[in-house]
Amino acid sequence: MRYVVALDQGTTSSRAVVIDEQGRAVASHSNEYTQNYPKPGWVEHDPYDIYYSQLGALKIAVQKAAIDEKDIAAIGITNQRETTLLWEKDSGRPVCNAIVWQCRRTAPYVERLKEEGLEELIRKKTGLVPDAYFCATKLQWIFDNVPGARERAEKGELLFGTVDCWLAWNLTEERAHVTDATNASRTMLFNIHTMDWDEELLRLFNIPRCILPRVCDSACVVGTLKPEILGRSIPVASLVGDQHAALFGQACYEPGMVKTTYGTGGFLLMNTGETLKESASGLLTTVAWRRNGRTEYALEGSIFVAGAAIQWLRDELGLIRTAAQSEEIALSVPDSAGVYVVPAFTGLGAPYWDMYGRGAIVGLTRGAGRAQIVRATLESIAYETADVVRAMEQDSGIALTQMRVDGGASANNFLMQFQADILHMDVVRPQIVETTALGAAYLAGLAVGLWQDEKQLAALWQAERRFSPAMQEQERARRTAQWKRAVERASGWAKEE
Ligand code: ADP
């Protein structure tokens, strides 16, 4: 048996998963690491925390798997996207902490871009809606605030990278300064039509080209793991952003296939094949992956609050003790008795895009209690997801027939059944829900010939449970209309303070 080790460098933890030729997770290990919040709205990671927590997870996972290191065919890397690092080429020393994707410090930079009317240009070239999430303004901030950084960058003394790139540089003997097309597509500096760094955007953001990494395929041997790490030289054979990895791990290889990850937030990606679809609904156009020089694209929509709404029921309202308990409480009543919860705690995302939206509970009557509110909160996750799915169908011109799911809240059978009902399509949960690690492992395995093609991988994917729609069409239409009315009530709330 041969294995691939996937490194899944996430926002709160670094994880390593050992995956065998059959696509089974044999062993894994996770290390949490420190989040730094130097000011309200600012989020930073120490780059060495990222590296060492990941290195530790790798070593322990391999130990737990009790396998011979010579049977490890490749290492794959998947990562939190958009987090921005800049380090010294000679010493490897970071010039400052990593600015995490969540960090809002560059919101004023983005406002300025919008005032200058650059939104459309950026959207056309990068597929992104200008936002502080992406790397470009974070890099600008570093150049504006770290003394000497710009001069040193222009002299070629510094290197920029996202987390995949930072890990590859530190883990490989060659000190490979590389990223893949998915990670590059989240920088707001990469042209997804030409598939290269965009000269006009580099000028606009005043970024010297010499600091940028080489952009590789997502499945590609980028270097060799330093032999002192596992006692052997092992190819590092994939770099890929986490959501893209999950789409690959879910075997969504055909245009029109969609996966939804129900984590703290919700992430939907639709494969649109080799066609780049522009969105009219505020979805992002992104690179799904690039393999053998061939790019496939995806539409992406996020939901700010998914599983977080269940945490709110538990931690703020105290209505449930555990997230899992929400299922039995929801099922203890026949319906939500007309109650709708809109969990717009941080505004409304696609397709509403209303940063002044705030949470609301509407439709309360004297008989509505704990169970109805718990049920309505779970239902809200399904309604929000359905809104994004409909936007994707509209933007892509593809009518969906089913959706693949993963993430913590996909364990909730009530939620999955209600999702199938409201979408009027099958919702399918795979046996292996570690799809992010699986996707990185699959890409790495393809690069070294452990697997031959997507067809072989698609055959490894197995459904654990399929939820089929059972709700009457009339009922579905009525509830969806009620949800829209509830959203209207919550919209713009904070604007009228
Ligand atoms: P992340 O990767 O964002 O940390 P996970 O995929 O680990 O998220 O999922 C955690 C989220 O899933 C939490 O917000 C939690 O409330 C929610 N969750 C976990 N189990 C259930 C469940 N059985 N029903 C509903 N929500 C759940």
Side-chain angles (χ1 to χ4, degrees):
M1 187 63 88
R2 307 201 68 206
Y3 304 88
V4 179
V5 186
L7 307 184
D8 178 0
Q9 207 299 312
T11 312
T12 55
S13 69
S14 297
R15 200 169 161 69
V17 187
V18 181
I19 286 162
D20 72 13
E21 273 168 55
Q22 298 300 316
R24 292 176 299 219
V26 177
S28 66
H29 190 77
S30 254
N31 283 326
E32 285 198 13
Y33 63 97
T34 310
Q35 308 288 315
N36 302 292
Y37 305 106
K39 290 187 187 179
W42 290 33
V43 192
E44 296 181 356
H45 292 153
D46 180 335
Y48 290 121
D49 280 352
I50 293 179
Y51 175 62
Y52 286 109
S53 61
Q54 189 62 71
L55 186 65
L58 166 62
K59 289 182 178 172
I60 297 174
V62 169
Q63 236 167 37
K64 282 189 189 168
I67 55 174
D68 190 331
E69 283 81 5
K70 79 171 177 353
D71 294 326
I72 302 175
I75 305 276
I77 298 178
T78 179
N79 58 292
Q80 53 165 318
R81 304 174 298 173
E82 296 122 12
T83 296
T84 300
L85 297 100
L86 193 67
W87 65 92
E88 293 175 352
K89 192 190 256 177
D90 282 343
S91 68
R93 226 182 358 244
V95 305
C96 58
N97 268 346
I99 305 184
V100 178
W101 59 274
Q102 297 155 320
C103 185
R104 306 309 299 171
R105 79 182 65 181
T106 58
Y109 287 64
V110 176
E111 287 306 320
R112 222 174 307 142
L113 288 176
K114 290 184 181 164
E115 279 161 23
E116 289 168 12
L118 295 166
E119 204 166 345
E120 190 54 21
L121 175 87
I122 292 172
R123 211 183 49 75
K124 276 254 181 275
K125 287 180 178 244
T126 66
L128 307 173
V129 177
D131 193 277
Y133 284 134
F134 308 113
C135 306
T137 60
K138 296 187 195 294
L139 256 180
Q140 274 188 306
W141 186 93
I142 297 174
F143 287 142
D144 290 349
N145 291 277
V146 176
R150 175 172 300 285
E151 295 70 33
R152 299 185 64 198
E154 280 164 359
K155 277 196 265 173
E157 292 173 13
L158 303 181
L159 299 175
F160 154 77
T162 40
V163 168
D164 56 312
C165 178
W166 168 246
L167 290 177
W169 196 82
N170 279 289
L171 289 169
T172 57
E173 267 183 293
E174 299 84 352
R175 292 208 146 178
H177 187 225
V178 286
T179 189
D180 88 304
T182 66
N183 278 294
S185 79
R186 317 297 295 191
T187 57
M188 216 157 82
L189 299 169
F190 187 76
N191 187 315
I192 60 171
H193 301 263
T194 63
M195 294 300 284
D196 193 5
W197 302 115
D198 189 274
E199 289 298 339
E200 190 181 0
L201 292 177
L202 293 180
R203 266 198 311 276
L204 188 74
F205 291 104
N206 200 5
I207 308 285
R209 195 175 171 121
C210 60
I211 65 168
L212 301 176
R214 185 163 57 88
V215 182
C216 294
D217 280 5
S218 315
C220 168
V221 176
V222 299
T224 322
L225 189 75
K226 288 177 185 163
E228 62 266 30
I229 295 176
L230 291 179
R232 295 197 84 85
S233 298
I234 299 169
V236 174
S238 71
L239 306 178
V240 61
D242 53 9
Q243 297 307 321
H244 316 251
L247 189 69
F248 203 83
Q250 282 275 24
C252 291
Y253 304 137
E254 303 293 329
M257 291 182 82
V258 175
K259 72 89 197 171
T260 297
T261 302
Y262 298 85
T264 311
F267 290 94
L268 288 85
L269 260 77
M270 175 199 260
N271 182 329
T272 62
E274 291 181 68
T275 332
L276 189 158
K277 301 271 188 193
E278 286 185 13
S279 172
S281 324
L283 303 175
L284 306 179
T285 307
T286 198
V287 172
W289 43 75
R290 195 173 81 189
R291 221 165 76 65
N292 300 327
R294 221 181 100 231
T295 304
E296 290 182 57
Y297 293 95
L299 279 171
E300 173 173 332
S302 346
I303 296 163
F304 302 145
V305 176
I310 307 307
Q311 292 168 333
W312 169 72
L313 289 177
R314 186 192 61 195
D315 303 338
E316 266 66 41
L317 301 191
L319 294 184
I320 52 175
R321 270 181 297 104
T322 64
Q325 200 195 10
S326 63
E327 181 171 342
E328 72 182 71
I329 295 178
L331 287 168
S332 71
V333 287
D335 56 39
S336 67
V339 175
Y340 287 80
V341 172
V342 185
F345 304 137
T346 53
L348 289 155
Y352 305 102
W353 294 109
D354 172 10
M355 57 181 165
Y356 300 106
R358 288 296 178 268
I361 305 179
V362 299
L364 290 171
T365 52
R366 182 62 184 82
R370 172 187 182 224
Q372 286 79 11
I373 290 172
V374 169
R375 186 171 172 125
T377 304
L378 280 168
E379 290 179 353
S380 75
I381 301 172
Y383 287 123
E384 290 182 301
T385 303
D387 286 338
V388 177
V389 169
R390 297 301 171 218
M392 281 183 166
E393 289 188 315
Q394 214 155 44
D395 285 342
S396 66
I398 299 171
L400 298 183
T401 52
Q402 59 161 270
M403 181 168 88
R404 295 185 171 182
V405 297
D406 52 59
S410 74
N412 192 302
N413 295 323
F414 166 76
L415 171 60
M416 293 301 105
Q417 180 57 50
F418 191 76
Q419 186 72 79
D421 287 342
I422 282 303
L423 279 173
H424 196 63
M425 67 178 74
D426 281 5
V427 166
V428 195
R429 190 167 61 200
Q431 276 178 4
I432 298 185
V433 286
E434 290 228 51
T435 55
T436 308
L438 204 57
Y442 282 171
L443 285 162
L446 283 171
V448 297
L450 185 66
W451 295 293
Q452 300 316 311
D453 54 22
E454 278 97 340
K455 209 170 134 213
Q456 190 187 0
L457 296 172
L460 295 180
W461 187 93
Q462 282 186 340
E464 177 259 329
R465 185 156 167 194
R466 176 179 292 269
F467 300 85
S468 296
M471 191 181 277
Q472 295 290 327
E473 178 54 32
Q474 211 181 357
E475 184 61 12
R476 186 170 79 90
R478 190 184 68 78
R479 291 193 191 213
T480 304
Q482 288 286 75
W483 162 254
K484 298 254 184 257
R485 286 180 61 217
V487 169
E488 275 167 33
R489 298 295 193 276
S491 295
W493 179 261
K495 209 176 203 165
E496 293 158 30
E497 266 173 16

